[in-house]
Amino acid sequence: MAVILAPSTLTIVLIVITVVLLAAIVALYFLGKKAQAKQADQQAQIDAMKQTVSMLIIDKKRVKIKESGLPQAVIDQTPKYLRGSKLPIVKAKAGPQIVTLVCDERIFDQVPVKKEVKATVSGIYLTGVKGIHGSIANNVPKKKKGFFKQALEKAQEKAGAKPL
């Protein structure tokens, strides 16, 4: 006589959870590859359209897209789920006109205010900045440290330990 043991409820639940997690990981992998290919295409288009322009940076800040001062056509083209998010916006004087540009997140902290720069622009997208009169690297403001980070550094200094 052969005895057939039925799997316990716990085993069945663990198998189902494992299968669902595995399916989610596979789906995320393929979605990530698709998004990466799409981003590479967009970067190629940006690089093809870029121009170097001399401009005076008037102001920079992070604002919601509705309050940014961008053309209404640009606001209408953005997906609805992104309209509430904040974008790095730069107002600059390029020649005789004042323009509102969307700045690349990677260079937003390097953009100096009230300085003349040579900027790489692709449409309304600011992709690079170089200083005309002097370096812009020293214009980057230092980030303030939080309360706990300051307390940790003071404690390490008193103890004679090296900072992290």
Side-chain angles (χ1 to χ4, degrees):
M1 267 204 280
V3 177
I4 299 174
L5 296 174
S8 67
T9 308
L10 178 65
T11 307
I12 293 173
V13 169
L14 288 176
I15 290 172
V16 168
I17 290 173
T18 305
V19 168
V20 168
L21 287 176
L22 193 62
I25 290 172
V26 169
L28 286 175
Y29 173 76
F30 286 112
L31 288 174
K33 285 191 79 139
K34 185 177 178 182
Q36 190 175 16
K38 189 175 181 180
Q39 187 207 14
D41 291 341
Q42 289 173 348
Q43 190 63 42
Q45 287 178 345
I46 288 173
D47 289 342
M49 298 294 291
K50 70 181 178 183
Q51 301 173 343
T52 303
V53 179
S54 177
M55 61 177 56
L56 173 71
I57 304 296
I58 297 171
D59 188 24
K60 71 174 186 174
K61 54 187 160 185
R62 296 179 199 277
V63 294
K64 291 185 178 181
I65 195 164
K66 291 181 181 179
E67 304 160 0
S68 65
L70 291 171
Q72 188 62 36
V74 174
I75 295 172
D76 291 341
Q77 286 179 354
T78 54
K80 291 200 187 289
Y81 64 90
L82 290 177
R83 291 188 186 168
S85 64
K86 292 187 174 185
L87 289 176
I89 301 292
V90 173
K91 288 197 184 276
K93 184 174 182 185
Q97 63 186 13
I98 295 177
V99 292
T100 303
L101 302 168
V102 178
C103 186
D104 191 357
E105 191 69 48
R106 292 173 282 184
I107 65 159
F108 183 70
D109 293 331
Q110 297 174 358
V111 176
V113 179
K114 308 266 194 270
K115 299 262 180 167
E116 193 169 345
V117 295
K118 282 231 183 250
T120 307
V121 179
S122 178
I124 61 165
Y125 195 63
L126 183 66
T127 58
V129 176
K130 293 180 184 169
I132 289 181
H133 304 294
S135 172
I136 62 169
N138 57 5
N139 295 332
V140 177
K142 290 185 178 179
K143 259 188 165 178
K144 283 190 172 182
K145 294 180 183 174
F147 173 75
F148 291 110
K149 189 79 165 176
Q150 286 178 345
L152 178 67
E153 286 185 2
K154 285 182 184 178
Q156 286 178 340
E157 186 178 321
K158 285 182 182 178
K162 293 180 183 177
L164 295 176

